[in-house]
């Protein structure tokens, strides 16, 4: 049975991740990378599409655990089951990778005597391929095409094949434990060296606690900040420093709808806010790695700049559909790849220049070619900012003159001016960029502002609103006390708000600007932006009330998806979502800083 999105927790090894449900089932796992084909795809189909459940044998298929929590300051998940016969704990984790990715699950007896059952259904290629499984020296090895996986328990427990799955059943009493290890490797390579699960657990705990100890935030919301930063780290592809937008694909923005996209890639739009949260909380190594990934990804012809890239900076992310998967709660189609990669989104030029400017002002060591790349991007933007585009939200309707895109063109010119004013020895014509900055500002204020309603609009000539305009004071386009800023905040809250104060990105009613049918939930990142904007415009009490509402949206282990439906009280969209957790961290930092965020305007 499909579980609510918020019933999942994430474990990972900084190259990929798995989603573990409250019922003890791992329903999503891509190997060996976040964007590889899934070997457990029940999340987007049925149990037959691959899963691994580990729970008391007496627990019904839809029964959930008694409680669960992450071990403090780690990504190690502890799930507790209390039964009439006794209690057990399941410890789920993925140690940082040595030779190969390992998923480890350790069952510990706490009291009484509990019989536990493991049901492992490996289905490679997104739940499509049933592997051939054979026994080798008491272990199981599954092979299909390029994929191979080894499955073992320590100590060995009774294991057999049944119904195209591998089943194990055993009993534990207080103080006893059984560890399971699933190891993937390319089928043409020799088996990786086995890793001891109990030693790996200790090292995993130590690694995470050493990492979180770097956090410099000591305010009243340290737990929320730490959990969000751990989640952001869990979505980082360690070999390159790229940060995936989410661990999943095709979790719907509307249950039963078609707004289902693949978010297992790296978006440039996240760059400034990501860098800001990492720098402000003391994680300079991660900030530097993200900056270096960004510079490698955008290198080349500025006209070829993309809005997103693969984890290693790959450019080709072709979008296809998987018809054998029914979709989460029949929300079809299931898509892999993302056709939005080919869109024109002019705001990303501003995002990149803003991020690199922030890195410079924060004191990250300069990258030799960084400034030349920025000048090339700005030169392209100077010639092209007047063009319509698909905008921040990747609409699949006609191109428009989106206000946010123009504002970010202003940001690009402004950051160049600031850089040259700070260091006149750098290459560049400061008067040229001042002129561009002034022209963009004048154009936006004349064409993107509705004086009748005292609000900036979604695009030139429209009456629709866009929550992205809440960023206008944060990026410094206008000061927070400007009446047009205050009017925009009020209008967005009134027209895009919902019960509880959360806001949508834009209206999907009537002729939708995004060219898609159906609706979507409140967008959590935008709701954090509203809290920021309320604080910046002097309404601190309302900002804090909204923030507390947003904190309550997190699931039982502190995770957020992309969106939230306040009517059904459910999370929506891909999960966990980096953009939502970045918003949470930045809002906490903003609320703790009189007059605005420590990172902006940059």
């Amino acid at each position: 049975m499909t579980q609510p999105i918020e019933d999942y927790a994430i474990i990972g090894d900084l190259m990929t991740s798995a989603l573990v449900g409250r019922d003890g089932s791992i329903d999503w796992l891509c190997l060996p990378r976040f964007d590889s084909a899934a070997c457990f795809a029940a999340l987007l189909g049925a149990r037959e599409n691959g899963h691994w459940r580990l729970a008391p044998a007496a627990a019904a298929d839809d029964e959930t655990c008694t409680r669960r929590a992450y071990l403090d300051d780690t990504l190690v998940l502890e799930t507790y089951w209390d039964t009439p016969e006794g209690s057990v704990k399941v410890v789920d984790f993925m140690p940082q990778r040595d030779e190969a990715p390992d998923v480890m699950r350790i069952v510990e007896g706490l009291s009484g005597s509990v019989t536990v059952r493991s049901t492992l259904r490996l289905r490679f290629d997104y739940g499509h391929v049933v592997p051939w499984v054979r026994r080798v020296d008491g272990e199981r090895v599954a092979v299909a095409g390029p994929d191979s996986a080894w499955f073992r328990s320590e100590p060995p427990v009774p294991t057999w094949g049944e119904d195209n799955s591998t089943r194990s059943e055993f009993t534990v009493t207080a103080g006893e434990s059984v560890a399971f290890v699933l190891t993937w490797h390319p089928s043409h390579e020799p088996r990786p060296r086995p890793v001891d699960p109990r030693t790996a657990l200790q090292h995993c705990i130590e690694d995470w606690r050493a990492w979180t100890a770097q956090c410099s935030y000591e305010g009243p919301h340290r737990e929320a900040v730490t959990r969000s930063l751990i989640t952001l780290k869990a979505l980082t592809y360690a070999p390159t420093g790229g940060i995936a937008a989410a661990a999943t694909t095709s979790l719907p923005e509307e249950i039963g709808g078609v707004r289902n996209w693949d978010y297992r890639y790296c978006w440039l739009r996240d760059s400034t806010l990501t860098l800001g949260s990492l720098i402000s909380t003391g994680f300079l190594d991660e900030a530097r790695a993200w900056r270096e990934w960004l510079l490698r990804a955008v290198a080349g012809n500025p006209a070829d700049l993309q809005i997103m890239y693969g984890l290693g900076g790959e450019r080709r992310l072709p979008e296809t559909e998987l018809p054998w998967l029914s979709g989460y709660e029949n929300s079809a189609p299931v898509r892999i790849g993302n056709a939005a990669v080919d869109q024109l989104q002019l705001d990303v030029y501003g995002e990149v220049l803003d991020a690199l400017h922030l890195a410079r002002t924060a004191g990250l060591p300069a990258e030799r070619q960084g400034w030349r790349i920025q000048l090339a991007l700005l030169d392209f933007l100077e010639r092209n900012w007047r063009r319509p585009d698909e905008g921040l939200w990747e609409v699949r309707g006609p191109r428009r003159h989106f206000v946010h895109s123009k504002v970010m063109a202003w940001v690009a010119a402004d950051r160049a001016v600031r850089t040259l004013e700070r260091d006149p020895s750098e290459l560049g014509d400061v008067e040229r960029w001042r002129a561009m900055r002034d022209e963009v500002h004048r154009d936006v204020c004349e064409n993107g502002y509705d004086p009748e309603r005292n609000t900036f609009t979604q695009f030139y000539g429209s009456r629709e609103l866009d929550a992205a305009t809440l960023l206008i004071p944060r990026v410094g386009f206008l000061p927070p006390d400007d009446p047009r800023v205050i009017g925009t905040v009020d209008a967005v809250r009134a027209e895009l708000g919902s019960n509880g104060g959360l806001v949508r990105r834009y209206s999907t009613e009537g002729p939708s600007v995004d060219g898609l049918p159906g609706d979507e939930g409140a967008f959590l990142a935008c709701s954090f932006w509203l809290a920021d904007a309320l604080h910046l415009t002097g309404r601190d009490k309302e900002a804090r009330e909204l923030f507390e509402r947003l904190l309550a949206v997190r699931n039982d282990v502190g995770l957020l998806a992309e969106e939230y439906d306040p009517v059904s009280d459910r999370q929506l969209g891909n999960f966990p979502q980096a953009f939502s957790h970045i918003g949470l961290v930045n809002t906490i930092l903003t609320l703790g800083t009189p007059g605005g965020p420590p990172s902006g305007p940059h």
Side-chain angles (χ1 to χ4, degrees):
M1 295 181 64
T2 302
Q3 298 183 80
I5 292 169
E6 61 269 19
D7 271 12
Y8 288 96
I10 186 174
I11 58 173
D13 66 356
L14 309 186
M15 294 192 202
T16 191
S17 60
L19 294 189
V20 187
R22 288 177 56 86
D23 65 349
S25 180
I26 298 179
D27 290 344
W28 183 253
L29 173 63
C30 300
L31 292 170
R33 301 189 350 169
F34 292 102
D35 55 354
S36 299
C39 62
F40 299 144
L43 181 69
L44 300 178
R47 289 283 170 90
E48 182 54 37
N49 296 118
H51 77 113
W52 179 11
R53 190 181 191 210
L54 187 58
D61 286 346
D62 59 347
E63 187 173 342
T64 58
C65 65
T66 306
R67 62 193 183 280
R68 63 179 182 170
Y70 284 112
L71 198 60
D72 289 345
D73 291 346
T74 75
L75 200 67
V76 176
L77 181 69
E78 296 184 327
T79 301
Y80 294 84
W81 297 84
D82 296 333
T83 75
E85 292 74 32
S87 299
V88 295
K89 176 175 70 174
V90 179
V91 181
D92 290 322
F93 66 103
M94 294 182 69
Q96 292 193 29
R97 197 173 302 184
D98 185 9
E99 294 181 53
D102 295 294
V103 179
M104 298 185 174
R105 317 190 74 179
I106 301 176
V107 181
E108 299 179 7
L110 302 178
S111 65
S113 178
V114 182
T115 299
V116 177
R117 178 179 299 146
S118 166
T119 301
L120 172 70
R121 283 191 176 92
L122 280 166
R123 298 292 186 270
F124 297 120
D125 190 25
Y126 295 102
H128 192 237
V129 176
V130 180
W132 183 265
V133 181
R134 68 183 190 278
R135 185 183 311 188
V136 178
D137 297 330
E139 301 182 26
R140 299 299 192 279
V141 58
V143 178
D147 298 293
S148 180
W150 289 79
F151 178 67
R152 74 180 196 275
S153 65
E154 296 183 7
V157 297
T159 300
W160 65 96
E162 179 184 326
D163 190 26
N164 282 330
S165 66
T166 300
R167 297 185 187 269
S168 306
E169 194 165 299
F170 55 96
T171 299
V172 290
T173 60
E176 294 180 334
S177 68
V178 174
F180 290 93
V181 181
L182 179 68
T183 304
W184 178 93
H185 69 98
S187 59
H188 65 278
E189 293 182 359
R191 178 191 180 178
R193 176 180 55 84
V195 177
D196 177 72
R198 293 169 179 83
T199 301
L201 173 61
Q202 190 58 41
H203 289 166
C204 187
I205 293 171
E206 293 169 356
D207 288 344
W208 276 108
R209 286 182 172 164
W211 184 82
T212 54
Q214 301 174 65
C215 182
S216 60
Y217 175 79
E218 295 293 344
H221 297 289
R222 181 174 171 81
E223 178 276 329
V225 168
T226 301
R227 181 51 50 195
S228 288
L229 291 170
I230 288 173
T231 304
L232 193 61
K233 179 70 170 176
L235 294 172
T236 301
Y237 184 64
T240 66
I243 301 173
T248 58
T249 179
S250 300
L251 287 179
E253 297 171 9
E254 178 185 34
I255 300 298
V258 301
R259 297 167 182 263
N260 318 317
W261 317 109
D262 194 344
Y263 276 17
R264 298 171 297 159
Y265 308 114
C266 306
W267 266 258
L268 297 189
R269 74 177 182 218
D270 300 5
S271 55
T272 307
L273 297 174
T274 302
L275 270 174
S277 63
L278 292 172
I279 290 171
S280 298
T281 53
F283 291 95
L284 297 185
D285 287 343
E286 282 70 23
R288 188 180 300 110
W290 174 239
R291 193 270 308 268
E292 299 308 318
W293 178 91
L294 187 64
L295 285 172
R296 292 193 301 272
V298 304
N301 187 338
D304 296 331
L305 186 72
Q306 298 182 177
I307 65 165
M308 73 181 86
Y309 294 84
L311 300 167
E314 298 89 349
R315 289 176 170 264
R316 298 188 183 277
L317 309 173
E319 183 177 303
T320 57
E321 298 179 3
L322 306 182
W324 61 86
L325 291 174
S326 59
Y328 178 86
E329 292 195 15
N330 295 312
S331 304
V334 171
R335 297 180 175 95
I336 58 172
N338 201 312
V341 71
D342 297 321
Q343 289 186 352
L344 175 67
Q345 295 181 23
L346 293 171
D347 66 287
V348 299
Y349 291 84
E351 297 287 2
V352 171
L353 269 72
D354 195 17
L356 296 177
H357 178 76
L358 172 60
R360 178 189 292 257
T361 56
L364 291 186
E367 210 286 335
R368 189 168 58 89
Q369 294 299 320
W371 179 240
R372 292 182 179 273
I373 291 173
Q374 292 175 71
L375 288 179
L377 294 174
L378 191 55
D379 183 67
F380 173 85
L381 188 59
E382 182 188 34
R383 300 192 307 271
N384 289 275
W385 70 266
R386 299 173 187 83
R387 295 171 61 186
D389 70 343
E390 277 90 1
L392 171 73
W393 304 126
E394 300 168 8
V395 300
R396 301 204 175 192
R399 289 181 176 179
R400 314 271 192 174
H401 290 281
F402 286 101
V403 170
H404 176 73
S405 295
K406 309 299 186 188
V407 168
M408 294 310 296
W410 177 90
V411 168
D414 177 74
R415 301 320 186 243
V417 170
R418 289 171 183 256
T419 298
L420 292 169
E421 287 176 342
R422 182 176 178 176
D423 185 0
S425 67
E426 288 281 16
L427 294 174
D429 184 345
V430 68
E431 292 304 323
R432 175 184 173 189
W433 305 132
R434 281 199 189 105
M436 175 185 167
R437 181 178 67 177
D438 293 345
E439 183 181 0
V440 176
H441 198 281
R442 184 169 52 252
D443 191 69
V444 172
C445 291
E446 289 178 357
N447 299 299
Y449 172 71
D450 182 349
E452 179 183 335
R453 293 185 297 155
N454 187 30
T455 182
F456 285 94
T457 60
Q458 185 175 32
F459 55 88
Y460 288 4
S462 77
R463 291 185 59 83
E464 301 296 333
L465 302 184
D466 189 334
T469 57
L470 294 169
L471 294 172
I472 284 175
R474 185 183 185 103
V475 300
F477 184 83
L478 287 173
D481 60 357
D482 190 292
R484 292 167 292 183
V485 169
I486 296 171
T488 298
V489 174
D490 290 341
V492 167
R493 184 160 57 158
E495 296 190 24
L496 299 181
S498 62
N499 292 333
L502 310 187
V503 296
R504 295 172 293 158
R505 295 182 291 181
Y506 50 84
S507 174
T508 56
E509 298 173 1
S512 177
V513 69
D514 62 19
L516 295 167
D519 200 359
E520 62 179 30
F523 202 80
L524 293 176
C526 294
S527 301
F528 284 114
W529 298 348
L530 176 58
D532 297 343
L534 288 169
H535 175 74
L536 291 171
T537 54
R539 290 170 280 189
D540 188 64
K541 181 176 182 292
E542 296 170 62
R544 293 181 185 279
E545 289 173 350
L546 175 56
F547 173 70
E548 292 298 330
R549 169 71 175 125
L550 285 161
L551 275 186
V553 168
R554 298 180 303 158
N555 73 356
D556 60 312
V557 290
L559 301 181
L560 291 168
E562 179 184 26
E563 299 181 5
Y564 180 75
D565 181 355
V567 177
S568 63
D569 192 28
R570 293 187 61 179
Q571 295 196 31
L572 296 170
N574 285 303
F575 176 89
Q577 179 83 359
F579 214 31
S580 299
H581 284 279
I582 293 164
L584 184 151
V585 173
N586 285 333
T587 295
I588 290 175
L589 297 174
T590 297
L591 294 178
T593 306
S599 57
H602 310 308

